[in-house]
């Protein structure tokens, strides 16, 4: 009898519209072999659409607002405990707009991933899309990387390119990037759930599926947008 697929516990942190969270939830719901499920969604923004999506999916949706805490450290402690209470194997930062301290990162070493809307190391930080546009690049994209103790810096798991059009503004470019993210993020989370990402220093690679029937076609390390 084939071994049961793994069932990883995934925590997702959001601050905004949560379209990446939604694509992850939809992918998990549609794929019995996904190998993981979202066990908690947490946010620093109590009113954000991302939390509402979690509620609509019947998931624990936890708001930990900075304003409810005397300082950054106690806010982050509360967030850490709220997430840790659900014993995640993996923490996904899907549009989480606060920088997390090394203390948070050390709680789940090598098990936190972030999605960033540029081709890192170009254009890190909160204005990745606007900065790429202002710089005049013709191609930008998205990066999914392991989180280390520096901002937008850890080992890169996957990148996809996205063209910049002459009439783009920040919104139109970001929408085109998000459309790519919505396929890439679930594919990467699935790989992580199946322990398929090997890390060596800054380099990562995808391990072949044990049975060689690879159903991860959306994950194309070199792929341009068709
Ligand atoms: C994404 O573009 C992601 O790369 C960035 O924030 C955005 C989140 O969008 N970190 P959404 O909240 O998933 O719609």
């Amino acid at each position: 009898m084939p071994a049961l697929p793994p069932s990883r516990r995934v925590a997702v942190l959001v601050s905004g519209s949560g379209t990446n969270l939604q694509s992850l939830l939809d992918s998990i719901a549609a794929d019995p072999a996904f190998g993981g499920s979202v066990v908690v969604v947490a946010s620093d923004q109590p009113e954000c659409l991302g939390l509402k999506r979690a509620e609509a999916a019947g998931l624990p949706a936890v708001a930990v607002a900075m304003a409810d805490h005397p300082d950054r450290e106690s806010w982050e402690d509360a967030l850490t405990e709220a997430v840790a209470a659900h014993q995640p194997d993996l923490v996904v930062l899907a549009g989480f707009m606060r920088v997390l301290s090394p203390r948070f990162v050390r709680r789940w070493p090598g098990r936190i991933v972030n999605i960033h809307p540029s081709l890192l190391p170009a254009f890190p930080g909160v204005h990745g899309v606007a900065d790429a546009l202002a710089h005049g690049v013709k191609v930008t994209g998205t990066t999914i990387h392991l989180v280390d103790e520096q901002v937008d810096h850890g080992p890169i798991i996957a990148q996809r390119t996205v063209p910049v059009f002459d009439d783009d503004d920040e919104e139109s470019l970001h929408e085109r990037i998000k459309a790519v993210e919505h396929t890439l993020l679930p594919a990467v989370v699935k790989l992580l759930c199946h322990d398929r990402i090997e890390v060596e220093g800054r380099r990562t690679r995808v391990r072949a599926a044990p049975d060689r029937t690879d159903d991860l076609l959306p994950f194309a390390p070199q792929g341009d947008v068709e």
Side-chain angles (χ1 to χ4, degrees):
M1 204 162 89
L4 285 173
S7 190
R8 300 283 183 248
R9 299 173 65 82
V10 181
V12 183
L13 271 56
V14 295
S15 296
S17 59
T19 61
N20 278 288
L21 165 68
Q22 191 66 56
S23 71
L24 183 59
L25 294 175
D26 293 348
S27 298
I28 290 171
D31 182 357
F34 193 94
S37 57
V38 176
V39 293
V40 62
V41 176
S43 181
D44 60 318
Q45 301 293 328
E47 300 305 323
C48 76
L49 186 53
L51 277 187
K52 295 192 169 56
R53 291 178 192 273
E55 281 164 14
L59 294 170
V62 187
V64 185
M66 194 78 98
D68 294 339
H69 296 274
D71 52 37
R72 212 202 155 282
E73 206 179 315
S74 60
W75 165 77
E76 196 183 74
D77 284 348
L79 177 72
T80 307
E81 290 319 311
V83 172
H86 295 269
Q87 300 178 300
D89 300 305
L90 188 65
V91 179
V92 178
L93 309 182
F96 189 67
M97 301 308 282
R98 302 262 182 199
V99 173
L100 293 163
S101 77
R103 230 169 116 204
F104 184 96
V105 175
R106 284 180 210 138
R107 183 82 181 239
W108 293 281
R111 293 192 285 138
I112 308 174
V113 287
N114 180 43
I115 183 157
H116 180 78
S118 78
L119 293 174
L120 291 173
F123 312 117
V126 288
H127 303 297
V129 179
D131 290 348
L133 202 53
H135 196 89
V137 296
K138 299 299 184 191
V139 173
T140 183
T142 183
T143 303
I144 300 176
H145 65 94
L146 290 167
V147 172
D148 67 7
E149 296 185 12
Q150 297 176 52
V151 175
D152 296 334
H153 175 268
I156 291 170
I157 298 173
Q159 292 184 304
R160 296 293 297 266
T161 57
V162 172
V164 180
F165 298 146
D166 290 348
D167 59 354
D168 266 334
D169 57 17
E170 184 181 351
E171 195 186 336
S172 63
L173 180 55
H174 202 168
E175 282 310 308
R176 194 173 313 112
I177 293 170
K178 281 195 191 188
V180 174
E181 292 182 329
H182 294 163
T183 310
L184 193 62
L185 183 65
V188 168
V189 173
K190 181 174 177 179
L191 286 171
L192 288 162
C193 285
H194 289 262
D195 290 327
R196 298 267 308 276
I197 306 289
E198 288 174 1
V199 186
E200 210 181 309
R202 280 208 56 85
R203 300 192 66 183
T204 72
R205 68 179 69 82
V206 180
R207 240 179 325 118
D211 56 4
R212 312 299 295 178
T213 53
D214 205 331
D215 60 348
L216 297 166
L217 285 180
F219 182 84
Q222 300 287 321
D224 272 359
V225 183
E226 283 78 30

